[in-house]
Amino acid sequence: GESVGLHLPTLSVQEGDNSIINCAYSNSASDYFIWYKQESGKGPQFIIDIRSNMDKRQGQRVTVLLNKTVKHLSLQIAATQPGDSAVYFCAENRAAGNKLTFGGGTRVLVKP
Amino acid sequence: GAGVSQSPSNKVTEKGKDVELRCDPISGHTALYWYRQSLGQGLEFLIYFQGNSAPDKSGLPSDRFSAERTGGSVSTLTIQRTQQEDSAVYLCASSYANYGYTFGSGTRLTVV
């Protein structure tokens, strides 16, 4: 079925290094994508979003890249900090409906 | 309020009992969503309300699950005759049109 999935379940990163989290989606009709961060015991927290008419969007220390040709989404975190340790989810939204479909999540562990 | 509020934060119930979970969305948000997150898993869509339109119930796993949204604001998710497999974190989110999906902290349901 149509889904959003992630390549790596766990990513260990040295503090100060850059992190890259990848996500594949299968529905070419998806027009809106969001990255969420979820810390233990909390709900998902919005990080950054991107619409399908863009291929790159930057925020504070984060960049989202969208490659529609291969249906691939990535989140780059610059200078990863201990506070970045969390599970990261990508989600897609289709124009015909507003419900978000989530990937399985990637756990990022930042080593001091 | 400033964010999405869910109550209770934790609920332990006996198998076979009914439970009600409450969600207060962000004021002015027209859309409200319920998701379920099992331990270590991604978010599973349950139901979606948009304004006065008929809700999208396509994600409800069985007829034991139902949800209401009164007055276009507060929503209640009801699980009848709870089973152990219903144990999960139930997350509510609200949005304005296709923007600003904001999640609450969730209700952790444990069925014993």
Side-chain angles (χ1 to χ4, degrees):
Chain A
E2 296 166 339
S3 65
V4 176
L6 296 175
H7 298 306
L8 299 174
T10 304
L11 179 66
S12 292
V13 183
Q14 198 69 39
E15 182 178 354
D17 288 351
N18 296 335
S19 303
I20 299 177
I21 307 165
N22 297 302
C23 179
Y25 64 96
S26 57
N27 191 334
S28 57
S30 294
D31 67 343
Y32 180 54
F33 304 87
I34 309 175
W35 280 100
Y36 283 93
K37 171 186 180 183
Q38 188 175 28
E39 296 174 285
S40 180
K42 298 183 179 179
Q45 177 187 1
F46 173 91
I47 301 174
I48 192 167
D49 59 0
I50 189 168
R51 295 212 169 268
S52 58
N53 60 353
M54 303 173 68
D55 53 19
K56 180 179 180 179
R57 190 161 187 229
Q58 288 184 295
Q60 186 176 12
R61 284 201 306 117
V62 294
T63 301
V64 55
L65 300 177
L66 176 63
N67 186 330
K68 294 180 286 293
T69 302
V70 295
K71 300 196 198 80
H72 185 266
L73 188 71
S74 68
L75 177 70
Q76 300 177 0
I77 305 173
T80 312
Q81 301 171 358
D84 295 328
S85 292
V87 177
Y88 291 80
F89 294 96
C90 62
E92 63 170 328
N93 173 280
R94 302 162 201 170
N98 289 335
K99 64 188 182 189
L100 295 176
T101 300
F102 283 81
T106 293
R107 182 174 300 279
V108 173
L109 299 174
V110 181
K111 298 177 289 185
Chain B
V4 177
S5 178
Q6 291 188 246
S7 62
S9 55
N10 283 284
K11 176 72 176 178
V12 179
T13 190
E14 292 181 352
K15 177 181 175 181
K17 299 284 189 182
D18 298 352
V19 294
E20 287 189 351
L21 313 179
R22 177 187 169 101
C23 174
D24 281 273
I26 291 174
S27 178
H29 277 192
T30 54
L32 186 148
Y33 315 78
W34 283 98
Y35 286 82
R36 178 168 71 174
Q37 186 174 32
S38 300
L39 185 63
Q41 301 297 313
L43 280 74
E44 173 191 6
F45 167 78
L46 297 177
I47 187 169
Y48 155 58
F49 297 88
Q50 173 62 59
N52 295 321
S53 302
D56 177 352
K57 304 179 181 180
S58 61
L60 295 179
S62 77
D63 59 8
R64 296 187 294 105
F65 288 72
S66 62
E68 292 184 338
R69 188 180 185 192
T70 55
S73 180
V74 172
S75 177
T76 302
L77 177 69
T78 301
I79 308 173
Q80 296 178 309
R81 306 180 302 281
T82 51
Q83 303 295 313
Q84 288 187 328
E85 60 263 29
D86 299 334
S87 296
V89 175
Y90 289 81
L91 289 159
C92 175
S94 68
S95 73
Y96 180 76
N98 281 3
Y99 298 94
Y101 293 88
T102 303
F103 281 83
S105 295
T107 294
R108 181 175 298 278
L109 175 67
T110 304
V111 182
V112 297

